[in-house]
Amino acid sequence: MKVLKLIIKNTFRHKLRTFLTILGIGVAVMAFGLLRTVVTAFDSGVQSSSADRLVTRDAVTFINPLPLSYLNQMKQVPGVKQITYMNWFGGTYIDQSHFFARYAVDPNTFFSVYPEYEIGRKTLSEFESQPNTCIVGSGLAQRYNFKVGDVITIDGDIYPGTWEFQVAGIYKPEFKSTDAMSMFLNWNYLNEEVKQTFPARADEVGWYVERIGAGANPGEVSRNIDALFANSPAETKTESERQFQQGFLASAGAIISAMDYMSFVIVGIIMLVLANTMIMSARERTREYAVLKAIGFSGRHLIGMIFGESLLVSLLGGVLGIFLTYPVVNSFASFASFLGTQLSVQSITLITASAAVVIVGIAAAVFPIQRAMNTRIADGIRFVG
Amino acid sequence: MFDLIEIKDVEKVYRRDSIEAPVLSGINLMVKDGEFLALMGPSGSGKTTLLNMIAGIDKPTSGQIVVGGTDISKMSESALAKWRSSNIGFIFQFYNLIPVLTAYENVELPLLLTKLSKSERKQHVESALNIVGLSDRMKYYPKQLSGGQEQKVAIARAIVTDPVILIADEPTGDLDKNSAEEIMTLMQRLNTEFKKTIVMVTHDAHTASKARVLRRLEKGDLLPAEAEAA
């Protein structure tokens, strides 16, 4: 028999209590994993922002459109290498619960400015030439089983009416953090339709995205763009894509912060659950620890045994929690498409959860160890729990 | 026979906050190698405190305790733990076996602190269990054994490292008459056949009569030696 065997036997001495503790830790780790996954997903848009892209929007609010006529002037600004534009299309697919991002994009320039959305040349050419087509993300296609040639019907709100778009292709995200849940439709088609139904809203874009050349100063380029339209009816505000994304998420900032804090509160809860179990175990075993000390086991041995037991329970709970996280995140993802990115458990979440479980395992053992060490052998042997 | 245990002018005072409670005063006692000593006395007389100090699990407030030539009253806690593991075998009133371990594993516990190989440990454990007559109960858990059998396993655990001294605190206090008789016979055998020095605390005169020397404690004082008990 080795000490490890003793640790295992002690851990499962009260099977129901150990099982409930492991289950409690597992559920808490799962909740931690889910919250961290959602927070990470919120943040992924910001993280995946390109350093060489600037976004120009209306100076007051990005809800206000900008004239398409700005395009040619902006192209002339030194440092601007490529430029594209897009509109938030909105609308409803099936019902409000089936939310995903829908943008009208310039088919000729969009995928050059956003090379991380990977599509084939043939697909792009079809998208450019066929007005009522769209490109969907691989994550979105997977969720709704969209295939090339399928027709997606959208009930418009910003642009009223029933809109039908044929899937011309499916883009693949270059990176894990790249949005795979969006639908891009042809801006030219939208504009032509708007010209006929709402002529006053024709030739308007939601925002411009500029790709700047190597060596260009983003701040200077931004200032030069905005200077072009100063004192005009539609003044602009140009900022880095990261700043734009952060501003976009600011409205949800409080929720994200709350989730962030909650995830760490959960770590505290895990510790309390485990500490409670460990304190009960240590109290019940006061006499045994005294006997072990009497027959020659040193403080180091007891510390090892108590730490070992605490770590074993917390690690088992952690493993259970991590296994539970995957199906829970997947089922949560089915109604969390508003995040605009595919929810997936990131390595950093697993590493954080594992580290939290180890820290909790160690911390929860501190008090029982202190008790075991400080109890005199003679007192411990007489102890009646 | 030489004096294995030498207790010189030992005093013990327990302090709690500002209150001092003297438990033992001016104790002088010599225990010869191979002796079987019974310490008797009423509750609060200090017999268990004296036993604990001989075993190295408590320290005197003043005075000296020398066991086998080593002054244990000045040893550090970790040195004492090591010393106990090779010199002392404990037999408690309530056996104090680990309930999740089998009889074999309970007896093996003290050997985990040694450098013995698995097969050597097995040999020692089987031999100890054989001495106490429980070779056929090796795989039994404490709850599957009677009180007497549990105490025999505890005795096997106490002798498995072949210690010089056995310390027994009310070894029959929780047993029926027959089991108590068996345990005392076993202890006498350990003393006579295996030459173990035994220091036993008991309040039971019949149990004490099995020892070869009887000493009484009263209100912290050791009374003059009486005639040999057995």
Side-chain angles (χ1 to χ4, degrees):
Chain A
M1 186 191 64
K2 295 280 180 203
V3 174
L4 181 64
K5 191 176 175 186
L6 182 59
I7 290 171
I8 293 168
K9 286 200 167 196
N10 272 334
T11 302
F12 294 99
R13 186 180 288 207
H14 294 282
K15 289 186 179 63
L16 181 62
R17 185 167 74 195
T18 304
F19 170 75
L20 290 175
T21 305
I22 290 171
L23 188 65
I25 295 170
V27 170
V29 168
M30 178 271 292
F32 176 83
L34 177 62
L35 284 177
R36 296 304 313 161
T37 299
V38 173
V39 170
T40 308
F42 263 117
D43 204 35
S44 66
V46 177
Q47 295 304 323
S48 63
S49 303
S50 173
D52 68 349
R53 279 197 296 253
L54 301 176
V55 177
T56 300
R57 62 172 174 87
D58 182 87
V60 179
T61 168
F62 64 79
I63 295 170
N64 291 346
L66 293 171
L68 180 62
S69 58
Y70 283 8
L71 180 65
N72 285 331
Q73 289 172 269
M74 290 164 75
K75 277 180 181 173
Q76 307 307 316
V77 174
V80 172
K81 197 167 80 176
Q82 288 171 305
I83 186 162
T84 190
Y85 48 89
M86 59 183 82
N87 283 57
W88 176 255
F89 180 74
T92 305
Y93 175 66
I94 305 175
D95 60 44
Q96 296 287 347
S97 65
H98 295 270
F99 179 88
F100 52 86
R102 289 175 280 270
Y103 303 96
V105 302
D106 175 30
N108 302 311
T109 54
F110 179 78
F111 289 100
S112 304
V113 175
Y114 286 93
E116 64 265 40
Y117 299 130
E118 294 177 340
I119 59 167
R121 190 174 292 275
K122 195 178 159 194
T123 305
L124 181 58
S125 136
E126 193 171 336
F127 182 50
E128 287 169 347
S129 59
Q130 300 293 320
N132 62 336
T133 56
C134 67
I135 303 288
V136 294
S138 55
L140 191 64
Q142 192 183 355
R143 175 164 303 158
Y144 291 105
N145 200 23
F146 291 146
K147 292 184 289 293
V148 173
D150 284 356
V151 172
I152 301 173
T153 305
I154 305 293
D155 186 17
D157 39 30
I158 301 170
Y159 303 99
T162 300
W163 298 78
E164 289 188 338
F165 302 99
Q166 191 174 33
V167 178
I170 294 166
Y171 74 81
K172 285 182 184 154
E174 186 183 1
F175 308 107
K176 261 189 169 180
S177 58
T178 304
D179 164 30
M181 300 299 293
S182 290
M183 171 180 171
F184 301 117
L185 50 105
N186 191 320
W187 187 90
N188 297 327
Y189 171 64
L190 173 67
N191 198 42
E192 287 307 313
E193 293 292 316
V194 168
K195 274 181 185 170
Q196 289 171 27
T197 48
F198 311 101
R201 293 171 61 189
D203 296 330
E204 286 180 340
V205 303
W207 60 92
Y208 291 92
V209 180
E210 304 87 21
R211 203 167 177 198
I212 58 173
N217 182 328
E220 196 181 328
V221 174
S222 299
R223 280 191 297 277
N224 289 340
I225 292 173
D226 293 341
L228 286 174
F229 312 108
N231 302 316
S232 73
E235 290 189 346
T236 60
K237 181 180 179 184
T238 304
E239 57 198 346
S240 68
E241 188 176 48
R242 175 177 285 259
Q243 287 170 319
F244 178 75
Q245 294 278 12
Q246 283 170 336
F248 192 76
L249 289 177
S251 53
I255 298 169
I256 299 168
S257 298
M259 285 197 286
D260 213 1
Y261 291 130
M262 275 309 295
S263 65
F264 290 101
V265 167
I266 285 169
V267 175
I269 294 170
I270 304 171
M271 193 168 82
L272 292 176
V273 169
L274 182 59
N276 185 46
T277 299
M278 288 309 299
I279 288 167
M280 278 197 287
S281 303
R283 187 181 159 76
E284 285 165 2
R285 283 181 228 157
T286 301
R287 196 193 289 190
E288 281 176 34
Y289 291 144
V291 170
L292 288 174
K293 281 202 276 185
I295 63 176
F297 280 77
S298 65
R300 203 161 42 88
H301 290 113
L302 292 191
I303 290 170
M305 280 195 278
I306 300 172
F307 264 141
E309 193 174 332
S310 182
L311 274 174
L312 182 62
V313 173
S314 73
L315 288 177
L316 287 173
V319 169
L320 174 70
I322 285 168
F323 274 113
L324 284 175
T325 302
Y326 285 91
V328 170
V329 164
N330 286 342
S331 85
F332 183 76
S334 63
F335 56 89
S337 49
F338 59 88
L339 292 172
T341 184
Q342 214 167 5
L343 270 188
S344 64
V345 183
Q346 302 292 312
S347 322
I348 186 69
T349 301
L350 298 181
I351 292 167
T352 313
S354 305
V357 158
V358 171
I359 291 168
V360 161
I362 292 169
V366 169
F367 185 74
I369 283 173
Q370 201 180 18
R371 183 186 164 88
M373 300 297 288
N374 291 344
T375 305
R376 292 171 63 246
I377 299 174
D379 294 335
I381 288 169
R382 281 199 297 267
F383 180 83
V384 180
Chain B
M1 279 193 285
F2 65 96
D3 290 329
L4 181 64
I5 304 167
E6 300 166 64
I7 297 169
K8 299 171 188 171
D9 300 321
V10 163
E11 290 195 358
K12 180 69 182 177
V13 179
Y14 284 119
R15 289 189 177 86
R16 181 158 290 177
D17 301 325
S18 59
I19 301 166
E20 288 193 350
V23 181
L24 294 172
S25 54
I27 302 289
N28 284 285
L29 175 67
M30 304 293 158
V31 181
K32 292 194 182 307
D33 181 38
E35 196 165 281
F36 187 169
L37 169 70
L39 289 171
M40 279 193 79
S43 293
S45 59
K47 55 188 188 301
T48 297
T49 302
L50 182 59
L51 189 76
N52 288 343
M53 287 194 291
I54 294 169
I57 58 176
D58 205 350
K59 285 186 175 182
T61 307
S62 67
Q64 207 179 22
I65 297 178
V66 179
V67 181
T70 307
D71 184 356
I72 63 165
S73 47
K74 291 187 171 54
M75 287 168 80
S76 68
E77 285 302 322
S78 57
L80 268 176
K82 202 171 178 185
W83 176 82
R84 284 193 302 267
S85 68
S86 52
N87 290 284
I88 304 288
F90 286 92
I91 302 162
F92 304 100
Q93 179 179 357
F94 298 109
Y95 336 127
N96 290 333
L97 300 177
I98 309 289
V100 289
L101 301 181
T102 62
Y104 180 97
E105 290 166 339
N106 266 290
V107 177
E108 191 188 15
L109 262 181
L111 296 179
L112 297 179
L113 302 169
T114 67
K115 288 179 180 170
L116 295 176
S117 67
K118 194 178 175 183
S119 61
E120 287 170 326
R121 291 202 305 266
K122 186 170 185 278
Q123 204 179 340
H124 279 71
V125 172
E126 286 176 353
S127 169
L129 282 168
N130 192 38
I131 289 170
V132 301
L134 284 181
S135 303
D136 57 339
R137 296 286 190 275
M138 285 187 194
K139 291 183 179 171
Y140 283 51
Y141 285 92
K143 65 181 176 189
Q144 296 169 314
L145 299 170
S146 69
Q149 287 172 325
E150 279 195 75
Q151 191 61 298
K152 284 181 182 174
V153 173
I155 291 171
R157 182 180 63 187
I159 61 171
V160 74
T161 54
D162 195 21
V164 185
I165 303 166
L166 291 181
I167 295 289
D169 190 0
E170 303 278 10
T172 59
D174 198 45
L175 297 175
D176 60 60
K177 196 180 167 189
N178 289 341
S179 299
E181 202 65 38
E182 274 186 55
I183 293 299
M184 288 319 298
T185 306
L186 178 59
M187 288 185 66
Q188 281 180 315
R189 192 177 149 224
L190 290 173
N191 176 244
T192 54
E193 194 177 325
F194 295 93
K195 310 296 178 201
K196 297 294 172 198
T197 302
I198 301 176
V199 182
M200 175 180 73
V201 158
T202 182
H203 66 274
D204 179 50
H206 181 69
T207 301
S209 70
K210 305 288 180 185
R212 283 161 48 184
V213 178
L214 174 66
R215 298 299 300 268
R216 288 180 190 277
L217 277 152
E218 213 166 279
K219 294 179 182 172
D221 293 321
L222 191 65
L223 301 183
E226 294 179 16
E228 288 203 351

